[in-house]
Amino acid sequence: QKEVEQNSGPLSVPEGAIASLNCTYSDRGSQSFFWYRQYSGKSPELIMSIYSNGDKEDGRFTAQLNKASQYVSLLIRDSQPSDSATYLCASLWGQNFVFGPGTRLSVLP
Amino acid sequence: DVKVTQSSRYLVKRTGEKVFLECVQDMDHENMFWYRQDPGLGLRLIYFSYDVKMKEKGDIPEGYSVSREKKERFSLILESASTNQTSMYLCAIGRGLEQYFGPGTRLTVT
């Protein structure tokens, strides 16, 4: 069974702090990883993709991948109340995605 | 920009009714997916399709069927709706290695 695990949270951080979201996956064959943001009542929105070990930065977001340890993380710098949402981690296995249950992030003003 | 539309944002149906959920994309993407999302269970794949008239079962196909007669349209069918099919239904398209979701349909079966 291919699984993606995340801490469900809620993770609370003060405005302006760094939010760190973590994800582990079970299948060593997974090569591609994704972070989605989902606001309450809305559909998931793709915010980051990462395919190779190391860091990938996009604005205030940094995705980190460590294939040896089978974990993926998402850092959000200068967190804003508008970042409050559930963040889903996903891995691509073959042509199908495996999604984690999501971590709820709350950024406190 | 990828655009995926779903026929309804909210839908209320009665037990035993046949329900059609439609998903339409405006690009030439082959891969289309139907998921349902429930609290505590996350996103679960129902069916997917890689081309016209082609379909594959996902993790939870029971009680559902799909139709893809045209490349841009992928329909999810609940043959006889039951209360345990009350859920948020999400259509997605695949573009390269990435997947993009439609706005979702919140279906309530009473």
Side-chain angles (χ1 to χ4, degrees):
Chain A
Q1 178 96 6
K2 293 168 179 31
E3 290 184 338
V4 173
E5 295 186 348
Q6 298 178 254
N7 188 323
S8 62
L11 172 66
S12 295
V13 300
E15 184 174 356
I18 295 175
S20 176
L21 303 161
N22 300 312
C23 165
T24 59
Y25 59 94
S26 62
D27 177 28
R28 286 194 173 273
S30 296
Q31 295 294 317
S32 306
F33 302 88
F34 308 86
W35 283 100
Y36 287 82
R37 177 178 61 201
Q38 186 173 24
Y39 292 114
S40 181
K42 303 292 186 183
S43 62
E45 172 193 10
L46 180 64
I47 55 173
M48 290 286 284
S49 308
I50 187 165
Y51 308 113
S52 53
N53 277 329
D55 295 1
K56 179 182 176 184
E57 191 173 314
D58 184 0
R60 295 187 296 112
F61 298 100
T62 299
Q64 299 173 318
L65 173 59
N66 184 323
K67 291 185 179 179
S69 301
Q70 295 178 241
Y71 86 79
V72 194
S73 62
L74 180 70
L75 301 178
I76 306 174
R77 287 182 300 283
D78 189 24
S79 296
Q80 302 297 309
S82 59
D83 294 325
S84 297
T86 297
Y87 289 80
L88 306 176
C89 175
S91 71
L92 180 61
W93 179 78
Q95 295 202 59
N96 289 341
F97 278 63
V98 179
F99 287 88
T103 297
R104 191 153 53 94
L105 172 67
S106 179
V107 180
L108 307 173
Chain B
D1 251 13
V2 175
K3 187 165 184 185
V4 184
T5 58
Q6 294 184 230
S7 47
S8 307
R9 288 285 284 126
Y10 300 94
L11 207 52
V12 179
K13 295 292 182 181
R14 293 194 180 277
T15 302
E17 278 193 82
K18 191 168 186 175
V19 181
F20 293 85
L21 303 181
E22 287 220 311
C23 176
V24 179
Q25 50 144 328
D26 67 342
M27 302 292 284
D28 207 29
H29 303 293
E30 279 89 22
N31 301 347
M32 298 185 77
F33 306 81
W34 274 107
Y35 293 89
R36 64 178 283 178
Q37 187 176 32
D38 302 286
L41 297 176
L43 275 161
R44 293 181 290 169
L45 181 63
I46 305 171
Y47 267 98
F48 56 99
S49 169
Y50 295 144
D51 207 343
V52 176
K53 296 193 186 294
M54 177 271 174
K55 60 186 178 185
E56 293 284 346
K57 292 180 180 179
D59 299 321
I60 52 162
E62 297 80 19
Y64 303 94
S65 62
V66 290
S67 171
R68 194 166 181 197
E69 296 297 317
K70 294 184 178 181
K71 196 170 194 177
E72 67 270 18
R73 191 179 299 266
F74 189 35
S75 301
L76 180 70
I77 303 157
L78 286 66
E79 296 290 342
S80 176
S82 64
T83 55
N84 63 12
Q85 292 179 309
T86 291
S87 186
M88 169 73 100
Y89 288 88
L90 292 159
C91 173
I93 63 98
R95 186 179 76 174
L97 294 178
E98 297 175 346
Q99 202 165 89
Y100 296 87
F101 287 88
T105 296
R106 183 162 295 282
L107 172 67
T108 301
V109 182
T110 61

